[in-house]
């Protein structure tokens, strides 16, 4: 993924108002992010742990989503699997809900998916971040195939939010 600026990120939001996009918390460490290893940029709002955001570059342009999730907590001990990268975690997966873009979102419609709490799917798939013992199931897929699967799953989620499906 190519590095994005704060302005590019704020302009890419499709499921919140321009005012909400202007006020949301964008990471201060954009220059230090491992962009070469990212399929999308994801982060949680440090001031509001139930809020999360992701930005994906699909079809050559960035698309950003505002998400709501449960606050990450150690109270979750059940092993769950992320629907994007298929990494399993003990307490490290949350249901993330995105308001649909446009009129559907204004009417209260939303789309949800189980995702890694820290939104670091790209790093788990590449083995750059460890989710613990048994987190990655043995597969015969190559790394490139796993990355493509993650991007395909992400694109399908974004398409549901934007109404492209």
């Amino acid at each position: 993924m190519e590095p994005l600026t704060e302005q590019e990120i704020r302009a890419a939001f499709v499921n919140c108002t321009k005012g909400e996009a202007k006020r949301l918390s964008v990471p201060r460490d954009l220059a230090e992010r491992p962009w070469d290893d990212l399929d999308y940029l994801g982060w949680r709002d440090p001031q509001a742990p139930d809020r999360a955001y992701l930005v994906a570059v699909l079809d050559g342009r960035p698309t950003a989503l505002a998400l709501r999730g449960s606050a990450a907590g150690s109270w979750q001990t059940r092993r769950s699997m992320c629907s994007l990268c298929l990494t399993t975690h003990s307490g490290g997966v949350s249901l993330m809900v995105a308001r649909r873009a446009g009129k559907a979102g204004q009417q209260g419609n939303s789309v949800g998916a189980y995702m890694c709490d820290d939104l670091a799917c790209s790093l788990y798939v590449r083995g750059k971040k460890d989710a613990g013992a048994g987190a990655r199931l043995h597969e015969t897929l190559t790394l490139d195939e796993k990355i493509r699967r993650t991007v395909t799953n992400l694109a399908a989620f974004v398409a549901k939010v934007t109404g492209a499906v």
Side-chain angles (χ1 to χ4, degrees):
M1 180 172 184
E2 293 295 318
L4 297 170
T5 66
E6 181 176 339
Q7 294 93 330
E8 290 172 318
I9 291 169
R10 290 186 191 283
F13 278 91
V14 296
N15 69 337
C16 63
T17 66
K18 288 182 181 182
E20 290 169 329
K22 185 178 180 181
R23 291 186 301 273
L24 62 82
S25 175
V26 174
R28 301 267 180 236
D29 65 345
L30 289 175
E32 289 84 43
R33 295 287 171 135
W35 294 100
D36 290 340
D37 293 322
L38 296 181
D39 303 308
Y40 69 92
L41 174 65
W43 73 97
R44 282 206 178 247
D45 187 330
Q47 284 80 38
D50 64 327
R51 292 184 187 173
Y53 309 97
L54 69 81
V55 185
V57 177
L58 302 169
D59 298 324
R61 62 182 182 86
T63 301
L65 304 177
L67 307 167
R68 289 274 184 175
S70 58
S74 59
W75 57 270
Q76 298 173 319
T77 57
R78 189 179 69 219
R79 199 153 192 74
S80 301
M81 180 180 283
C82 173
S83 63
L84 299 183
C85 66
L86 305 186
T87 299
T88 58
H89 300 266
S90 289
V93 173
S94 293
L95 176 62
M96 299 283 188
V97 178
R99 180 176 30 177
R100 300 226 16 224
K103 189 169 187 143
Q106 292 168 355
Q107 294 173 343
N109 296 326
S110 60
V111 177
Y114 286 94
M115 298 182 196
C116 295
D117 275 337
D118 58 4
L119 298 165
C121 298
S122 304
L123 302 179
Y124 291 121
V125 167
R126 288 167 174 79
K128 306 271 180 165
K129 193 166 186 180
D130 185 19
R136 299 292 312 164
L137 301 174
H138 175 73
E139 298 181 284
T140 58
L141 298 176
T142 66
L143 177 59
D144 285 341
E145 290 170 327
K146 292 176 188 177
I147 291 168
R148 272 195 302 277
R149 177 180 62 199
T150 300
V151 171
T152 299
N153 292 341
L154 174 65
F157 179 72
V158 171
K160 287 177 187 173
V161 173
T162 60
V165 285

